[in-house]
Amino acid sequence: MSDHIVRAFDADLRTLRGMIAEMGGLAEKMMTESTRALAARDIELARRVIAMDPKLDALQREIEEKAILTIARRQPMAVDLRDVVSAIRIASDLERIGDLAKNVAKRVVAIAGQFHPQKIVTGVEHMSDLVMAQLRDVLDAYAARDDERAMDVWKRDGQIDALYTALFRELLTYMMEDPRNITFCTHLLFAAKNVERIGDHTTNIGETVHYLVTGHTLTAERPKNDTSSFTTLDEATGS
Amino acid sequence: MVTDHPETFHNQGPTTVNRMADLTMPLTPAAGLFTANEAKVTARDVTVHYGEKQALFGVSIDIPERSVTAFIGPSGCGKSTFLRCINRMNDTIPICRVAGEIRIDGADIYDRRLDPVLLRARVGMVFQKPNPFPKSIYENVAYGPRIHGTTTSRQELDEVVETSLRKAGLWDEVKDRLDQPGTGLSGGQQQRLCIARAIAVGPEVILMDEPCSALDPIATARIEELIFELARNFTIVIVTHSMQQAARVSQQTAFFHLGHLVEYGATEQIFTAPSDTRTQDYITGRFG
């Protein structure tokens, strides 16, 4: 798109986009490392993830301030207005993603020092990888103003929900097999739930990118396959 | 009066047939009505020339009653030219030729037998620079009812003056000095006096050509509040260079560029998600 007559306005918008990119990078890193920490039960790495969160919070505040200032100073219209509003929305989703990654890291600290079969962790790791790919894709879609790509992310969220439901059943089965697994599996279940929520925020960002590019708000219900809230013990264990 | 508009609805001949066809011609979706209100002013294929130079190219638009419609666009885009077509102000410019059709409540306003003076009583106009007559405040407002003979007694005239000044939100400020010259008022008050003068003859449509461009923000806010009030009873068309003003006061916005009506839609749509790139570039300050 061509530049504004007032070039300082372009600079304002560029700064906002740059800050979102920085936040996105940081949130992605927190997500990757918390998963790695979980897989390897690496407390040091988990603590480093926890320590990253204040930086992400500070960035969100900066973006909000900058966006408000831009609205006051430039009175943006049409695509510019959507640009500024999207920055505020995406910053808030990324901040939540950081919080959720931090929560996963906290679980790593809680379950440290106990031996558990790796196969139990693998499911959560696999789900994290999927969500991570989603987050990366949606951030790329934002940077490229690519509605199609953002919508792909949005549509894929159903897979993650389905995976979470499957994981929920699996963990329930381990708990049934051996009550000594319960503490560990409960922590894992919370970790998985956090990852699933990260997926939700990722699709929120997808919706925001759609609004930014087209000017229309998505009205359709997102495909949801998380049925764990209705799953009973009998169903889960197949007994 | 030099208008290129010899045929009227009632005339016979092939041209009439064409013009009938124009009336039933479907509008582009963007130019039709999108409010619950009925169309007050309908224009079809309006073209304006100033001598050799074409200023408007086939403008078709439906303007709904009792609401505010804003015309925006860069200088020279034709928005004021089109506004002036609605009360035949262009008749006063010898080199100006208007073609196409404009109807108010279904009646052709370029009908030969229609007296433009009567038309202008129905379609009032407020200009960029407040232009009160060099007379008293009272006389400024009483002038229209007097020349149109719409009042029969002094008492009735007094009432019209008071009501008009009240509707224009000026009464409380001037009621004790109605005999003072209108030119002695502040800019914002003068503009409201001009609005009172326009209202006094009982118009249905009020055209405003950048009514706030010479006013400070407080006086502008007063006029905008007044426009909002007036829209309950009048059909208001406002030309403005301020995007924020158009966004604040209007329900419909029409964007003109190089003599063409580029986009017409609900104001909230135009300012958040315009469909034409030219509209977008203009309202976001990407070209002037």
Side-chain angles (χ1 to χ4, degrees):
Chain A
M1 189 174 294
S2 63
D3 291 343
H4 288 92
I5 299 164
V6 178
R7 275 174 299 180
F9 192 180
D10 287 317
D12 286 348
L13 294 177
R14 262 201 309 277
T15 309
L16 269 178
R17 278 174 220 162
M19 288 162 92
I20 291 283
E22 192 185 346
M23 259 195 104
L26 194 59
E28 223 181 294
K29 189 164 183 220
M30 286 178 75
M31 164 98 211
T32 320
E33 309 223 315
S34 66
T35 307
R36 262 180 56 209
L38 181 68
R41 251 80 95 231
D42 183 339
I43 302 181
E44 274 318 299
L45 187 57
R47 292 215 165 104
R48 283 207 294 279
V49 171
I50 295 167
M52 283 181 219
D53 196 46
K55 165 83 178 147
L56 200 65
D57 291 355
L59 264 170
Q60 190 216 354
R61 276 195 302 276
E62 277 174 48
I63 288 174
E64 262 180 21
E65 279 163 22
K66 178 83 189 162
I68 289 169
L69 199 62
T70 305
I71 292 172
R73 240 210 299 249
R74 313 286 177 204
Q75 285 138 48
M77 289 284 193
V79 69
D80 298 334
L81 182 59
R82 303 202 301 266
D83 209 332
V84 176
V85 169
S86 299
I88 297 175
R89 281 196 201 157
I90 293 175
S92 128
D93 278 316
L94 288 173
E95 191 270 332
R96 289 296 301 145
I97 288 175
D99 281 349
L100 293 162
K102 182 182 75 178
N103 286 350
V104 173
K106 280 182 178 169
R107 302 270 166 202
V108 176
V109 178
I111 59 176
Q114 309 169 30
F115 173 77
H116 294 285
Q118 190 64 27
K119 69 166 185 178
I120 305 186
V121 187
T122 313
V124 182
E125 217 186 329
H126 174 55
M127 187 174 148
S128 287
D129 287 343
L130 267 181
V131 173
M132 226 135 46
Q134 289 272 80
L135 181 59
R136 209 170 299 130
D137 265 4
V138 89
L139 289 172
D140 286 349
Y142 170 74
R145 300 291 191 268
D146 186 341
D147 180 39
E148 207 177 313
R149 195 155 176 191
M151 284 300 86
D152 284 345
V153 171
W154 188 78
K155 284 175 205 145
R156 277 199 302 266
D157 190 56
Q159 291 175 20
I160 289 160
D161 288 342
L163 203 61
Y164 174 70
T165 307
L167 202 63
F168 178 85
R169 291 173 183 211
E170 193 186 334
L171 290 173
L172 224 49
T173 316
Y174 292 136
M175 292 192 239
M176 299 281 288
E177 272 171 18
D178 185 347
R180 283 173 299 176
N181 283 334
I182 288 179
T183 314
F184 183 68
C185 285
T186 307
H187 280 299
L188 269 188
L189 197 57
F190 276 114
K193 186 66 197 169
N194 283 330
V195 172
E196 188 268 331
R197 295 282 303 280
I198 292 177
D200 289 345
H201 286 287
T202 304
T203 55
N204 280 354
I205 298 176
E207 288 175 13
T208 302
V209 172
H210 176 75
Y211 170 72
L212 169 61
V213 176
T214 64
H216 302 294
T217 311
L218 269 178
T219 43
E221 263 294 296
R222 179 166 77 208
K224 282 213 192 306
N225 292 312
D226 173 9
T227 54
S228 65
S229 357
F230 317 111
T231 306
T232 62
L233 196 62
D234 293 348
E235 258 181 76
T237 54
S239 56
Chain B
M1 188 181 76
V2 188
T3 57
D4 183 21
H5 211 280
E7 308 87 17
T8 67
F9 182 77
H10 310 280
N11 282 1
Q12 299 298 315
T15 334
T16 311
V17 175
N18 285 339
R19 292 187 54 235
M20 286 289 284
D22 285 348
L23 187 64
T24 54
M25 181 177 68
L27 285 172
T28 54
L33 278 182
F34 32 80
T35 68
N37 295 11
E38 298 266 307
K40 180 79 182 175
V41 181
T42 53
R44 291 295 178 275
D45 207 17
V46 173
T47 299
V48 175
H49 283 85
Y50 291 112
E52 288 303 302
K53 193 183 177 309
Q54 188 164 0
L56 270 189
F57 299 81
V59 172
S60 296
I61 191 171
D62 284 353
I63 296 170
E65 62 173 2
R66 291 196 302 280
S67 67
V68 183
T69 302
F71 290 175
I72 60 168
S75 296
C77 69
K79 58 190 188 301
S80 291
T81 297
F82 182 65
L83 188 78
R84 295 160 61 90
C85 289
I86 301 174
N87 69 346
R88 291 180 60 174
M89 285 285 286
N90 288 325
D91 289 10
T92 57
I93 303 170
I95 57 164
C96 180
R97 283 177 297 131
V98 180
E101 184 175 76
I102 300 178
R103 289 172 179 269
I104 293 180
D105 290 335
D108 186 351
I109 64 165
Y110 280 89
D111 187 322
R112 267 193 188 154
R113 293 165 303 174
L114 188 85
D115 179 355
V117 175
L118 291 179
L119 172 70
R120 286 176 206 140
R122 288 177 63 202
V123 185
M125 188 142 187
V126 177
F127 297 87
Q128 181 172 1
K129 212 168 153 277
N131 55 351
F133 302 136
K135 291 169 181 278
S136 70
I137 294 169
Y138 183 95
E139 283 305 319
N140 262 281
V141 184
Y143 182 79
R146 262 207 196 106
I147 60 161
H148 288 291
T150 48
T151 53
T152 50
S153 65
R154 172 72 193 205
Q155 193 200 342
E156 207 182 327
L157 190 59
D158 285 353
E159 275 168 23
V160 169
V161 169
E162 180 176 339
T163 318
S164 306
L165 284 168
R166 278 191 193 282
K167 279 188 192 156
L170 193 60
W171 176 251
D172 289 336
E173 290 162 57
V174 301
K175 63 180 179 215
D176 300 323
R177 45 172 172 152
L178 291 173
D179 53 343
Q180 308 265 308
T183 46
L185 297 171
S186 74
Q189 288 173 326
Q190 288 189 19
Q191 196 60 301
R192 278 178 283 148
L193 179 61
C194 293
I195 292 173
R197 187 177 65 191
I199 294 170
V201 291
E204 297 150 45
V205 180
I206 301 175
L207 309 176
M208 298 185 172
D209 196 351
E210 293 182 55
C212 301
S213 59
L215 305 182
D216 73 17
I218 305 287
T220 299
R222 288 226 172 83
I223 301 280
E224 288 181 4
E225 172 62 20
L226 177 58
I227 290 172
F228 181 78
E229 283 297 318
L230 293 175
R232 294 171 197 272
N233 302 308
F234 303 95
T235 301
I236 294 177
V237 186
I238 178 172
V239 163
T240 176
H241 272 142
S242 160
M243 299 300 116
Q244 278 71 31
Q245 180 167 65
R248 285 192 301 260
V249 304
S250 71
Q251 285 81 53
Q252 298 79 230
T253 299
F255 171 62
F256 288 79
H257 188 228
L258 301 171
H260 294 271
L261 173 61
V262 172
E263 187 169 354
Y264 178 47
T267 297
E268 58 260 39
Q269 178 251 316
I270 297 280
F271 288 105
T272 58
S275 46
D276 195 288
T277 23
R278 288 167 293 177
T279 317
Q280 169 130 306
D281 284 352
Y282 180 68
I283 64 172
T284 59
R286 285 181 167 84
F287 77 83

